[in-house]
């Protein structure tokens, strides 16, 4: 029997060096998630006028 580990989500260790150490970016993301920052940002962007353009979250 073979087990495979499926990887998804952010690969913190491959972030460009301009963002600083990977673990700081990961901790900041986690902290903002717990504080609801991403949810509030999404709600603001979702309610924005489509004429403002596309928002890419890649």
């Amino acid at each position: 029997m073979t087990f495979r580990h499926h990887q998804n989500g952010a690969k913190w260790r491959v972030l460009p060096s301009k963002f600083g150490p990977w673990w700081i970016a990961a901790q900041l993301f986690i902290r903002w998630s717990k504080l609801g920052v991403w949810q509030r940002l999404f709600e603001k962007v979702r309610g924005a006028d489509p004429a403002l353009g596309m928002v890419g979250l890649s």
Side-chain angles (χ1 to χ4, degrees):
M1 179 181 268
T2 303
F3 290 97
R4 294 180 190 243
H5 184 269
H6 179 72
Q7 295 182 345
N8 61 7
K11 306 292 189 276
W12 297 112
R13 294 176 190 258
V14 296
L15 280 175
S17 60
K18 69 180 179 181
F19 296 115
W22 69 268
W23 55 271
I24 291 176
Q27 289 299 314
L28 187 58
F29 180 85
I30 292 167
R31 187 175 304 135
W32 285 3
S33 293
K34 289 179 180 177
L35 292 172
V37 172
W38 298 117
Q39 184 63 36
R40 289 193 308 272
L41 178 62
F42 176 73
E43 289 167 3
K44 263 194 187 295
V45 171
R46 185 177 55 185
D49 182 3
L52 295 175
M54 248 2 220
V55 175
L57 299 175
S58 59

